[in-house]
Amino acid sequence: MAILPIRTVGDPVLRTEASKVTKFGVELERLVADMAETMADVHGAGLAAPQVGISLRIFTFNVDGASGHVINPHLEIGEELQPDHPEGCLSVPELGFVVPRQQWARVTGVDASGAPVSYEGTGMLARCFQHETDHLNGQLYIDRLEGEDRKSAFRAIRKSDYEAVIARTVAERGQSIDSSFGRPARSGRPSAGGTTKGS
Ligand code: NI
């Protein structure tokens, strides 16, 4: 297995709708294993294949003891929104913003062997499923922001010093980084610390 480099905002692969997986076999199993290892290395809650430069509909997750992977996921969500909670993304380092998400979600798809799988959850797990499915559709959580938060997020990633933030994050990865989904070091602006989080 291998730890894969994580693509960051600005990389076109993150803005591309991923393709359905049609070819199953050893290569796919290796990719899923590498994604799980990569996600664990950065203590991420979720990781979508485009984040490692592979434009295929696959994500791995590990939230509150629930872990696994889903290939060609179909997402269903409830109507009720969950309480405000800051969200982060491994591909948008050192930022965190409150994103409206539904309280309940279910993903249905197949695993690397092609067997049907279905996972459902509430709260952080439901948030993760929605966040990762967005990745497969070429969408980042910052696209869902509105008003001042949206301005603030896009201003932050356009600033010249954000390249330095990304460079530092990339340099730190491969070592173990303290991070967890949805718990940004500081909400709304790049933080001075080296912690990152997200999925
Ligand atoms: Ni993400």
Side-chain angles (χ1 to χ4, degrees):
M1 295 207 295
I3 292 168
L4 308 170
I6 296 174
R7 305 296 181 94
T8 51
V9 62
D11 191 316
V13 73
L14 296 173
R15 297 307 200 173
T16 304
E17 187 174 356
S19 304
K20 272 190 100 163
V21 172
T22 54
K23 200 175 156 210
F24 290 79
V26 177
E27 238 176 85
L28 180 67
E29 283 168 20
R30 189 182 307 131
L31 172 61
V32 169
D34 287 349
M35 284 175 59
E37 191 181 7
T38 301
M39 181 179 73
D41 180 62
V42 292
H43 304 274
L47 185 71
Q51 293 183 277
V52 293
I54 308 289
S55 197
L56 288 173
R57 304 188 79 80
I58 307 167
F59 71 74
T60 56
F61 63 93
N62 185 1
V63 179
D64 300 334
S67 66
H69 68 275
V70 189
I71 292 169
N72 299 335
H74 170 67
L75 175 73
E76 297 163 85
I77 49 174
E79 284 184 12
E80 188 195 339
L81 286 175
Q82 46 178 284
D84 282 351
H85 201 288
E87 199 165 308
C89 180
L90 296 168
S91 294
V92 192
E94 299 195 14
L95 294 184
F97 291 92
V98 168
V99 187
R101 295 287 190 189
Q102 266 71 19
Q103 175 66 2
W104 174 88
R106 173 164 57 206
V107 283
T108 308
V110 295
D111 68 15
S113 68
V117 289
S118 181
Y119 298 96
E120 67 175 86
T122 57
M124 200 58 77
L125 186 58
R127 186 174 285 275
C128 174
F129 290 159
Q130 292 168 75
H131 179 113
E132 301 314 326
T133 303
D134 278 353
H135 272 303
L136 304 184
N137 295 328
Q139 190 170 37
L140 300 172
Y141 82 94
I142 53 175
D143 301 333
R144 292 188 175 273
L145 301 176
E146 292 177 357
E148 282 307 309
D149 277 357
R150 186 180 179 89
K151 275 188 212 160
S152 178
F154 281 86
R155 201 182 296 130
I157 64 171
R158 271 192 218 105
K159 271 176 73 177
S160 54
D161 64 359
Y162 197 64
E163 278 181 36
V165 170
I166 287 181
R168 186 171 68 232
T169 302
V170 169
E172 282 169 352
R173 285 181 178 156
Q175 309 167 27
S176 268
I177 307 169
D178 175 32
S179 63
S180 64
F181 182 86
R183 289 179 187 271
R186 192 178 303 167
S187 183
R189 57 184 66 89
S191 67
T195 55
T196 181
K197 75 287 137 193
S199 58

